[in-house]
Amino acid sequence: MDIRPILSTLRRHKFTACLLILEIALTCAIICNAIFLIGQRLDRMNISSGIAEHELVYIQLAYIGERPDAMARTAADLAALREIAGVRAVTMTNQIPFGGSSSNMGVRTDLAQQKDTINASQYLGENVPSTLGIQLEVGRDFRPEEYRDLTDVYAALGKGDMNALPKPALISRAVADQLWPGQDPLGKQMYVGGGIPLTVIGVMAQLIRPNQFGDGAQYSVINPIRLSMSQGAGYVIRCAPQDREQVLKLALAKLKTLDPNRIVLGKGTLDQLRRDYFQNDRAMAGILVGVCLALLIVTALGIVGLASFWVAQRNRSIGVRRALGATRGNILHYFQTENFLLTTIGIAIGMVLAYGINLFLIVHYELPRMPGFYFPVGAALLWVIGQCAVLGPALRAAAVPPVVATRSV
Amino acid sequence: MLAYYLDLAVHSLKRHRMLTALMVLAIALGIGASMTTLTVLHVLSGDPLPGRSGSIYYPQIDPQDMKDYTPSVEPPAQLTWTDGMYLLHSKRATRQALMTGGMVPLQPAQSSFDPFHASALYTTADFFPMFAVPFEYGSGWGAAEDDSKARVVVITSQLNDKLFGGRNSVGQIVRLQEKDFRIVGVLGDWHPNPHFYEWYMGSYASDEDVYVPLTTSRDLLMEHDGSVDCWGNTGGDPSRLETINCMWLQFWVQLDSPASVSAYKDFLLHYSQDQHASGRFVRPPNVRLRNMMQWLDYIKVVPSDAVLQTWLALGFLAVCLINTVGLMLAKFMRRAGELGVRRALGASQRALFGQLLMESGVIGVAGGLGGLLLALFGLWLVRQQPADYAKLAHMDTTMLLATFALAVSASLLAGLLPAWRACRVAPALQLKAN
C-alpha cells in the first residue's frame, strides 16, 4: 500500500500525531523496563537453594533463664527429636536458609592477600549436609571426631590457639570455582578472619546463603562446629514432605516436655520461610504487572479515542474515496497502516528511551544491563495493542457508505 | 461569566460522555498512582524527631585493621565497646547515648500470660532526654543506674496496657531473663519513624517493648540482636563482646550549636589520632559526624523499591497526561466549526481560550476527585502489603492538598496547548468550509 497519502494526511495533524507517537514511545520504554524488572524479580524468587526444601521444618526456641548445661540439653533434644516417627535427620544450626540472620566471613587463598577474594556465609552444626539434603560433588562429609564445640572454639580463639580450631571445611561449587578456577579444590588451604587456616575436604554442588544474596548467593562454607541451643538459630528436621505437619507438632510437644522453661520464637516449613523471604519481591512483581496492564489499557484507549476522532473528521473524504472506487478493505487498511506507521515511529523512539531508563536504573539501583530480547518484546506488545485498538474505528470507517460524499455536513 | 463558561463546559462534556469519561479516568488513574507512591515516599522520608533532628548527630570513627582498606573508605556504621564507652564517658556533647538492640525473655508476674520474647533496646541514661521521649508515668533512669548496672526497666505504653491494664506500674516488678526488674517509667505515645536510632531491628514501625540499661544487659548477658562486625581472629563470641575487636554499638550525640559540632568533630579526630599513635588504631584517622537526616540518607533508609515505584507512577502519570492532551486536542479541533461561528459572532480569542480552559479544568477537578479516591484505595492496598512500612501508609492533609493541586494543575497544563491551538482558528475559513 502506498503510504504517501497517509503521510500527507498526518502532516495536517502533526501535533496530534506527535502526541500519539510520544505516548507510544513512553509506554514502550516503561513496559520494556518493567518487564525486565519483573524478570529480575522472578529470577530472584526462583533461585535454587541446593537443599531439600520440601522435606525440612524448623523450630526456633529461647531459654527463659540461663542454662549452664545447654550443650548436654541440646544433645538430649537432638536425640529425642531423632526418635520421632518419620524423622530422617536433625541438626542444630547457626543459620537457616531464607532466615533472618546470617554469619558471614571474608575468605582468601593467600595469607598475604590485602583483600578477601570472596565473602562467604558460614554454616555451623552437626550433620548439616545430611540434614539439609546437600549434594556432595566430590570429597567426603565430616567425621564424628572432627567436630568441636563452639564454646571450645571461642576459648581457643580467645587464647590465640590456632591448633585447637577445626581445620576441615566443606565449600560450595561456587566458592571452589571462585577461589581455584579450573583446579581440584580438595586438600587446598583457604584463610578466614585474621588468618585461620581451613582445609577443603569436600565440595557441595550447591548451598545458598541465608540472605545477602548480593554478595554471591551460592557462596557458602560449612565448619564442623557443634552448637548449643542458646548459641544456634534453631533445630532443623528432615522428614518426608507429607509428614511435615505431624513431625512439627510432635517435635514441639517433645521439646516442651524436655524443658518447658523456653519460648518458641518461630516454627514452620522451609517452604513457608522461602515464601516469606521473597514476599516483597512478589509484591513488587505484582505491582509491575499491574502498571504494565494499566499503561497498555490507557494507551489503547487513547488510540481508540484519537482514531475515532480522525474517522469522524474524515467521514466525508472516506465517502469520496469510496465513491471513486476504493473498497472497504482499502479504507480498513488505510487506518491500519496509519496506526502501524505511528506505532513504529513511537516504538523506535521508545527503544532509545528504554535504553536511557535502563542506564538510569543501572546507576541508581545497581541493576544489570537489560538483555536485548526485552526490546522486541515491548515492540511486539505495542504493535499488537495498536492494531487491536485501531480495529474498531477502522471498521467503522470502512462501513462509511459512498453516498456520504454527495451529502453536505 | 465563569458560571456561563462552566455551563458551556459541562454541556460540551456531556455531548461526548464516553470521551469525557475516558479523559477523567486517565487523569484519575495517573493521579491516583502518583499520589499513592508519593504519599508512601513522604511518610518514609519523614523527620522522626521534628524540631530536634537538626541537633542530633551520629559520630563515626574507624578502628579496623588494614585489611580491605582504601583511602576513600567510609568509617564503619557502629562502634566497639571500648570506643563507645570512651566517647560516652567523655561527655563532650550536651547529651550522648550508646545503644544496641536485643531480645529478652519476659515473664509477667500475672500467671495469665505466657512468657514471651520482648524486643529490647539496651541503652544509657541520656537516651530519653536527648530524644525528648514522652513519659506517661515515671521517668528514665540516671547515670547512677548505668554505673551500678541497676535492674531497672522502662516499658512502652503498649506493654503497660497489656501487663497492667494501662495503670501506673512504676515501682512494679517484671521478670526479665528470670531476674527481677523494677519499672521506673512507662513511655507515652512515641513511635518515631523511621526507627532511626536502631535500624537493624527494622527501619519502620518497629518499636521496642522494654528499655534496659546497657551495662545491666551486659552484666546478665542478655541476647544481642543486630549486626556484629568483627576483624581479626575474634569469632564474635557474644559473651566477650566488650573486649574483642567487634563493632556492634550505635552512638548518638546532641550538639546544639555549629561551634559545638566542629568542636566535637575535632574531638573525634584527636581521639582517633591518639589511638593511632598508641597503635590501637591501625588505619589513619577517619571520622564522620552526620546529623540525623544526613545519616538516614546515608544509610539509605527509604527502601529503593518505594522510590522505584514512585518513578514508575510518575511515568504512568506522564503517559496519562499525554493521552489526555491528545484527546482534548482532537476534541477541540473537531469543534473548530462551532468555535469559528462563535468567533464570527464576536467572541474574543481570550474568551474562547477561557472557555476551553474551563472545560479542561472541569476534567481536572473530576479527575482529581477520582484520583483522590483511587489514592485512598491505593494506600489501602499498600497497607495490605508485606513490607514493614506498609501500615504507616496514610494520607495526611499536606498530601491531600498536594493531590488536588497536582490533579488540577496537571489537567490545566494538559488543556493549555489544545485550547491555545483551537482558539486560534480563523473564523472565515471555518465558516466557508461549512
Side-chain angles (χ1 to χ4, degrees):
Chain A
M1 187 174 194
D2 195 4
I3 59 166
R4 251 175 311 166
I6 300 180
L7 287 179
S8 76
T9 317
L10 283 180
R11 218 167 290 139
R12 290 188 53 193
H13 300 277
K14 238 181 284 164
F15 199 72
T16 327
C18 282
L19 282 173
L20 192 61
I21 289 171
L22 188 61
E23 184 178 351
I24 289 168
L26 261 181
T27 306
C28 181
I30 296 174
I31 281 185
C32 281
N33 279 283
I35 294 178
F36 170 59
L37 286 173
I38 295 170
Q40 289 278 310
R41 299 288 165 142
L42 292 183
D43 279 354
R44 220 174 105 81
M45 284 159 62
N46 291 330
I47 193 165
S48 89
S49 62
I51 63 172
E53 274 175 59
H54 307 308
E55 302 174 16
L56 297 172
V57 296
Y58 69 94
I59 299 174
Q60 295 174 301
L61 298 165
Y63 290 121
I64 291 174
E66 275 172 61
R67 285 284 178 275
D69 56 344
M71 207 68 221
R73 282 168 178 274
T74 307
D77 282 348
L78 288 169
L81 290 173
R82 268 187 211 109
E83 278 165 22
I84 295 173
V87 170
R88 292 178 185 164
V90 185
T91 184
M92 162 54 68
T93 175
N94 66 323
Q95 53 184 18
I96 303 175
F98 309 114
S101 70
S102 61
S103 162
N104 305 288
M105 57 186 184
V107 181
R108 55 195 196 277
T109 50
D110 188 345
L111 266 181
Q113 240 170 279
Q114 255 294 323
K115 276 178 104 57
D116 291 323
T117 317
I118 55 167
N119 177 294
S121 194
Q122 181 187 32
Y123 282 85
L124 308 177
E126 212 172 356
N127 306 325
V128 171
S130 58
T131 309
L132 293 186
I134 299 162
Q135 235 194 320
L136 266 186
E137 248 180 28
V138 285
R140 59 172 178 88
D141 196 353
F142 301 114
R143 299 198 183 99
E145 69 271 15
E146 286 172 331
Y147 283 98
R148 301 280 179 277
D149 286 357
L150 182 60
T151 321
D152 299 338
V153 170
Y154 280 152
L157 283 171
K159 281 185 286 188
D161 179 7
M162 296 287 193
N163 288 324
L165 301 172
K167 298 260 181 335
L170 290 173
I171 60 173
S172 62
R173 172 50 62 190
V175 172
D177 287 348
Q178 203 62 36
L179 295 184
W180 304 285
Q183 297 175 47
D184 179 14
L186 286 187
K188 286 257 178 358
Q189 292 272 307
M190 57 184 190
Y191 301 91
V192 298
I196 302 167
L198 297 176
T199 312
V200 178
I201 61 155
V203 178
M204 307 172 281
Q206 231 182 9
L207 174 58
I208 198 165
R209 66 198 306 157
N211 43 42
Q212 297 186 20
F213 297 156
D215 292 336
Q218 305 289 353
Y219 291 168
S220 303
V221 174
I222 309 184
N223 294 116
I225 295 175
R226 263 188 303 257
L227 309 162
S228 75
M229 199 198 90
S230 42
Q231 293 163 330
Y235 291 111
V236 178
I237 307 170
R238 187 166 176 201
C239 59
Q242 67 275 13
D243 293 344
R244 283 179 293 180
E245 293 276 306
Q246 181 67 10
V247 164
L248 194 57
K249 216 161 65 189
L250 290 174
L252 274 169
K254 198 144 214 177
L255 289 170
K256 194 137 209 171
T257 32
L258 276 173
D259 183 354
N261 214 9
R262 44 189 174 181
I263 305 167
V264 178
L265 301 180
K267 59 176 196 297
T269 64
L270 255 282
D271 285 341
Q272 282 166 350
L273 211 53
R274 185 192 183 111
R275 255 199 309 281
D276 292 349
Y277 185 85
F278 290 113
Q279 58 184 1
N280 281 337
D281 294 291
R282 200 171 305 116
M284 188 68 187
I287 289 173
L288 287 166
V289 170
V291 168
C292 283
L293 285 179
L295 270 174
L296 287 177
I297 291 172
V298 166
T299 306
L301 288 178
I303 293 173
V304 172
L306 275 186
S308 301
F309 262 115
W310 281 342
V311 169
Q313 203 169 27
R314 298 177 207 160
N315 218 6
R316 206 155 147 216
S317 56
I318 295 168
V320 171
R321 283 196 60 197
R322 290 277 282 125
L324 291 176
T327 62
R328 282 169 199 272
N330 290 145
I331 306 293
L332 185 70
H333 286 151
Y334 173 90
F335 281 99
Q336 283 174 333
T337 314
E338 183 186 71
N339 178 271
F340 184 80
L341 264 179
L342 290 175
T343 318
T344 307
I345 302 171
I347 288 169
I349 301 172
M351 295 292 149
V352 180
L353 263 178
Y355 183 69
I357 294 178
N358 185 231
L359 284 184
F360 172 84
L361 291 178
I362 290 171
V363 172
H364 291 272
Y365 296 93
E366 290 157 18
L367 278 170
R369 190 169 291 270
M370 178 159 56
F373 62 84
Y374 282 100
F375 291 101
V377 169
L381 258 175
L382 276 153
W383 268 315
V384 170
I385 284 288
Q387 288 301 311
C388 290
V390 87
L391 193 63
L395 282 174
R396 229 174 301 138
V400 171
V403 71
V404 169
T406 62
R407 291 188 198 134
S408 63
V409 182
Chain B
M1 260 273 274
L2 275 180
Y4 172 61
Y5 285 4
L6 191 66
D7 204 41
L8 274 180
V10 171
H11 181 73
S12 151
L13 291 174
K14 269 189 184 159
R15 270 181 51 196
H16 300 273
R17 274 170 211 275
M18 272 308 287
L19 193 75
T20 307
L22 193 64
M23 290 193 283
V24 170
L25 188 73
I27 290 197
L29 278 175
I31 296 287
S34 305
M35 289 324 288
T36 305
T37 55
L38 283 172
T39 304
V40 170
L41 209 58
H42 171 75
V43 170
L44 295 189
S45 49
D47 184 343
L49 290 186
R52 270 192 102 75
S53 55
S55 56
I56 305 289
Y57 287 79
Y58 192 84
Q60 287 170 272
I61 54 178
D62 196 342
Q64 298 170 98
D65 59 17
M66 291 305 279
K67 218 174 108 223
D68 287 345
Y69 174 78
T70 53
S72 59
V73 72
E74 279 282 337
Q78 299 190 100
L79 296 180
T80 62
W81 176 270
T82 313
D83 297 324
M85 279 297 162
Y86 175 80
L87 295 182
L88 181 74
H89 289 136
S90 311
K91 292 196 183 346
R92 292 299 182 93
T94 317
R95 290 186 178 111
Q96 47 259 305
L98 194 60
M99 65 203 72
T100 193
M103 298 294 266
V104 56
L106 190 152
Q107 293 163 281
Q110 307 86 329
S111 52
S112 53
F113 286 107
D114 282 337
F116 61 94
H117 231 204
S119 131
L121 188 78
Y122 312 131
T123 184
T124 56
D126 276 356
F127 177 89
F128 303 101
M130 179 162 68
F131 296 145
V133 183
F135 276 87
E136 196 173 343
Y137 305 112
S139 65
W141 60 82
E145 276 87 354
D146 276 336
D147 294 340
S148 64
K149 301 170 187 168
R151 308 265 167 97
V152 292
V153 60
V154 167
I155 65 174
T156 58
S157 60
Q158 289 95 311
L159 187 62
N160 190 49
D161 289 347
K162 185 172 160 186
L163 298 183
F164 301 98
R167 277 172 290 115
N168 186 350
S169 59
V170 171
Q172 301 266 17
I173 300 294
V174 285
R175 282 177 71 74
L176 300 177
Q177 206 165 304
E178 294 190 320
K179 300 286 190 300
D180 282 348
F181 276 73
R182 185 168 50 87
I183 297 174
V184 292
V186 177
L187 293 192
D189 193 22
W190 195 59
H191 313 280
N193 271 308
H195 190 255
F196 66 95
Y197 49 88
E198 212 294 338
W199 57 95
Y200 290 108
M201 305 284 280
S203 307
Y204 297 97
S206 52
D207 304 322
E208 304 79 15
D209 300 308
V210 296
Y211 300 80
V212 174
L214 181 64
T215 47
T216 316
S217 81
R218 292 308 301 166
D219 188 32
L220 296 175
L221 285 182
M222 288 177 166
E223 183 188 328
H224 165 253
D225 281 335
S227 159
V228 180
D229 247 317
C230 305
W231 71 94
N233 289 333
T234 53
D237 182 355
S239 60
R240 296 194 304 125
L241 280 177
E242 290 90 336
T243 49
I244 54 183
N245 290 331
C246 293
M247 297 166 292
W248 53 287
L249 291 161
Q250 295 157 32
F251 186 59
W252 291 92
V253 298
Q254 178 182 340
L255 300 167
D256 294 321
S257 68
S260 59
V261 173
S262 68
Y264 203 86
K265 197 155 185 185
D266 288 344
F267 164 61
L268 289 176
L269 199 62
H270 288 147
Y271 175 65
S272 292
Q273 281 161 350
D274 284 352
Q275 294 296 313
H276 189 66
S278 75
R280 207 185 131 243
F281 285 9
V282 187
R283 296 187 178 188
N286 185 14
V287 306
R288 297 283 186 284
L289 188 59
R290 294 182 164 93
N291 73 25
M292 184 191 292
M293 294 316 277
Q294 287 165 341
W295 172 254
L296 291 178
D297 193 40
Y298 169 67
I299 62 168
K300 299 199 172 72
V301 74
V302 176
S304 65
D305 273 3
V307 183
L308 197 59
Q309 283 164 14
T310 309
W311 284 114
L312 209 59
L314 289 177
F316 179 58
L317 177 65
V319 169
C320 289
L321 282 182
I322 293 173
N323 190 18
T324 308
V325 175
L327 290 177
M328 248 186 245
L329 186 66
K331 189 178 171 197
F332 290 169
M333 294 311 273
R334 185 136 157 70
R335 277 163 55 199
E338 175 205 323
L339 296 174
V341 172
R342 302 201 30 229
R343 279 281 280 139
L345 291 178
S348 70
Q349 252 186 28
R350 259 184 75 152
L352 285 191
F353 185 68
Q355 285 163 16
L356 294 175
L357 215 51
M358 176 61 95
E359 201 173 317
S360 55
V362 170
I363 290 179
V365 172
L369 277 176
L372 191 64
L373 290 178
L374 282 178
L376 290 175
F377 174 67
L379 288 172
W380 178 82
L381 277 182
V382 171
R383 288 197 289 278
Q384 315 304 312
Q385 301 259 316
D388 63 348
Y389 58 78
K391 62 178 173 184
L392 300 171
H394 286 278
M395 188 161 278
D396 55 13
T397 336
T398 328
M399 294 314 282
L400 194 93
L401 294 176
T403 307
F404 225 71
L406 181 70
V408 175
S409 54
S411 62
L412 279 181
L413 206 70
L416 214 57
L417 238 147
W420 180 70
R421 279 188 71 94
C423 72
R424 284 184 352 152
V425 293
L429 211 65
Q430 290 298 330
L431 291 174
K432 225 191 297 179
N434 281 348

